[in-house]
Amino acid sequence: DKETGALVTAFNTTGTVSDNFTAGNDILYGVAVDNQYIYAAGYENGGVSAHVQKRDKTTGALVSTFGTSGRVSDGITAGNDAFRTIAVDANYIYLAGDENTAAAFHMQKRDKVTGALVSTFGTSGKISDAYSSVNGFYGVAIDEQYIYAVGLDNNGAQAHIQKRDKITGALVTAFDGDGRVSDAISSGVDRFYAVAIDNQYLYAAGYDNGGVNAQVQKRNKTTGALVSGFGTGGRISDNITSGNDALRTVAIDGQYTYLAGDQGTAAALHMQKRNKSDGALVSAFGTGGKVSDAYSSVNAFYGAVIDSQYIYAAGLDNNGANVHLQKRKLSDGSVTGTFVDGARSGDSVTIGG
């Protein structure tokens, strides 16, 4: 429940779904929703196959008309394959990740009702892009015409963005000349984890210099050019702590950018609020625009959404022993005391342990 944090027992009787669909490790990395359904994407059997499933939002039940009994398992290559991010529109699912043990970027378009590949997209519904050594998409956003996917290329030497046509999957060459931005932000490993878009711009978040700094950029959606008035030349490199820092998710509203991840080599959960126009921290949020929450050992946010008043951020705590959820006010980053697990009189929900 958004107000209380209580599990909704109409959803699979417990409020949770645990789906052990193969004998190997199974992970769902990305989720998207529409009015009736949940679409979740990841991999199965230790990465042997990419995986996507469709479930009823109310009950959590698999939707039998989608794929095989609600699931699609796709052994794309002989190597490891994974969907790491997902977006949906009225009719289709857009999936992005990597294939053949990260030898190539991978993207698919599937029918929302049946899960079938859409043959007019790429080659029979799939795009395989062996741009360089070790490539992967980690975040995706869509508008009415285009797909914007972010990740890394060249073994992490560059953060990477692509813009593709939603119908054909073709690269949009007006975007940085070839449909791609490969950005060597630093001399270390650079990576984008997430992207959000508005009518004119895209906002990409991740890290640079091997994780020493959190990174956020603002670029023109049409040309891919950095927006010079944002941060320094369109980029913000934020050395939050002396450890590794990363922004792993981004959400936007009309005026602000909300970023979440971890700091100090996952010693604390981290959140920021920045002005969309120039990237400046909003001082009323947390302490000087930032929230640092050393809730337990090894903490991180991996996803966040916002409504008109609150940010809801999800991830892990206690070295991964628990999944973690927090609700904070958009205005000042403070926790809301009505959002309580019942097992604790605090401000976040912890499941597991």
Side-chain angles (χ1 to χ4, degrees):
D1 186 279
K2 278 176 67 175
E3 293 302 315
T4 67
L7 289 163
V8 179
T9 56
F11 187 84
N12 200 39
T13 71
T14 61
T16 65
V17 169
S18 180
D19 190 358
N20 185 24
F21 37 89
T22 73
N25 290 342
D26 308 316
I27 295 178
L28 298 173
Y29 283 110
V31 63
V33 297
D34 59 21
N35 289 337
Q36 290 182 277
Y37 302 108
I38 302 166
Y39 307 83
Y43 69 70
E44 63 181 67
N45 202 16
V48 171
S49 301
H51 185 93
V52 59
Q53 53 181 250
K54 178 179 178 179
R55 291 181 177 271
D56 186 280
K57 276 175 69 174
T58 303
T59 67
L62 288 161
V63 179
S64 61
T65 54
F66 183 87
T68 301
S69 302
R71 303 184 183 99
V72 171
S73 174
D74 191 352
I76 304 163
T77 70
N80 287 353
D81 309 313
F83 297 133
R84 301 187 186 275
T85 183
I86 182 173
V88 297
D89 62 17
N91 297 304
Y92 302 107
I93 304 167
Y94 304 85
L95 300 139
D98 51 87
E99 64 176 71
N100 201 15
T101 318
F105 293 109
H106 189 84
M107 196 177 289
Q108 294 187 10
K109 180 178 179 180
R110 290 181 176 271
D111 185 276
K112 278 176 71 176
V113 176
T114 66
L117 288 161
V118 179
S119 61
T120 54
F121 184 85
T123 303
S124 302
K126 302 179 181 180
I127 291 168
S128 175
D129 184 5
Y131 177 74
S132 67
S133 61
V134 187
N135 310 273
F137 289 130
Y138 292 90
V140 69
I142 57 174
D143 59 21
E144 290 184 0
Q145 291 182 279
Y146 302 109
I147 304 165
Y148 307 82
V150 301
L152 61 81
D153 68 62
N154 198 18
N155 203 26
Q158 288 98 28
H160 193 90
I161 308 171
Q162 289 189 14
K163 180 177 179 179
R164 290 183 177 270
D165 185 276
K166 280 175 71 176
I167 297 173
T168 67
L171 287 161
V172 180
T173 56
F175 188 82
D176 204 46
D178 61 358
R180 301 184 177 98
V181 169
S182 183
D183 191 358
I185 304 164
S186 71
S187 58
V189 174
D190 307 319
R191 178 192 306 236
F192 291 132
Y193 281 111
V195 61
I197 56 174
D198 59 23
N199 289 336
Q200 290 182 278
Y201 303 107
L202 67 82
Y203 306 82
Y207 67 69
D208 66 65
N209 200 18
V212 171
N213 307 312
Q215 169 78 205
V216 59
Q217 296 187 7
K218 179 179 179 179
R219 289 180 178 267
N220 185 291
K221 275 174 64 178
T222 303
T223 66
L226 288 160
V227 179
S228 60
F230 184 88
T232 302
R235 302 183 182 98
I236 293 169
S237 183
D238 190 354
N239 186 15
I240 303 165
T241 71
S242 58
N244 288 353
D245 309 313
L247 300 172
R248 301 181 188 275
T249 184
V250 58
I252 57 175
D253 61 18
Q255 290 182 277
Y256 302 109
T257 307
Y258 304 87
L259 302 133
D262 52 89
Q263 67 179 65
T265 316
L269 301 156
H270 185 85
M271 201 176 287
Q272 298 185 4
K273 179 179 179 179
R274 292 181 177 272
N275 193 298
K276 279 174 71 177
S277 60
D278 61 8
L281 288 162
V282 179
S283 60
F285 185 86
T287 302
K290 299 178 181 179
V291 170
S292 172
D293 185 1
Y295 177 76
S296 67
S297 61
V298 188
N299 312 270
F301 288 131
Y302 289 94
V305 295
I306 60 173
D307 59 21
S308 61
Q309 291 184 283
Y310 301 104
I311 182 168
Y312 308 83
L316 59 83
D317 68 58
N318 197 20
N319 201 28
N322 307 316
V323 295
H324 192 91
L325 179 64
Q326 289 191 11
K327 177 182 179 180
R328 290 181 179 269
K329 294 180 182 178
L330 292 181
S331 57
D332 61 11
S334 64
V335 295
T336 169
T338 60
F339 192 76
V340 178
D341 188 2
R344 119 181 230 269
S345 60
D347 43 62
S348 63
V349 175
T350 304
I351 307 164

